[in-house]
Amino acid sequence: MTNPQYTPGPWKIDDAFKTSTVITDDTDMVICQIHGLGPGANADGRLITAAPDLLEALQNIIDSVDKGHAVILVPLAANARAAIAKATGGDAA
């Protein structure tokens, strides 16, 4: 893998802001700000915070396939499911 050209995760929703949904990194640097609050902003925030996890899960799957290790996809699917659950606010099952 090449070095990422984006702010590395994990990213989180910072609940300190009262008029918008703000996504920050571990150092509390603002990644992005979604103007407004409510279910739509919360869903967008979850998806944005999951972006690094989703990218990593997909890269791991592609790396395994490229190396001819398709059998390893079963455990990697757990990472993909967890990233999807983080993005959707759902269950990782």
Side-chain angles (χ1 to χ4, degrees):
M1 288 300 132
T2 60
N3 289 333
Q5 300 299 311
Y6 57 87
T7 304
W11 297 349
K12 63 185 184 289
I13 295 176
D14 188 333
D15 293 329
F17 295 84
K18 302 301 178 200
T19 60
S20 62
T21 300
V22 176
I23 311 302
T24 61
D25 69 2
D26 276 350
T27 66
D28 293 327
M29 181 181 86
V30 173
I31 303 295
C32 73
Q33 183 174 6
I34 303 166
H35 295 284
L37 298 170
N42 289 338
D44 291 344
R46 282 193 308 272
L47 181 59
I48 292 166
T49 61
D53 301 305
L54 292 165
L55 178 60
E56 180 181 10
L58 291 172
Q59 287 173 326
N60 289 337
I61 290 169
I62 296 303
D63 286 347
S64 291
V65 170
D66 289 349
K67 293 175 184 173
H69 300 130
V71 174
I72 200 113
L73 292 179
V74 172
L76 291 177
N79 291 341
R81 283 189 188 95
I84 291 167
K86 182 175 181 179
T88 62
D91 189 349

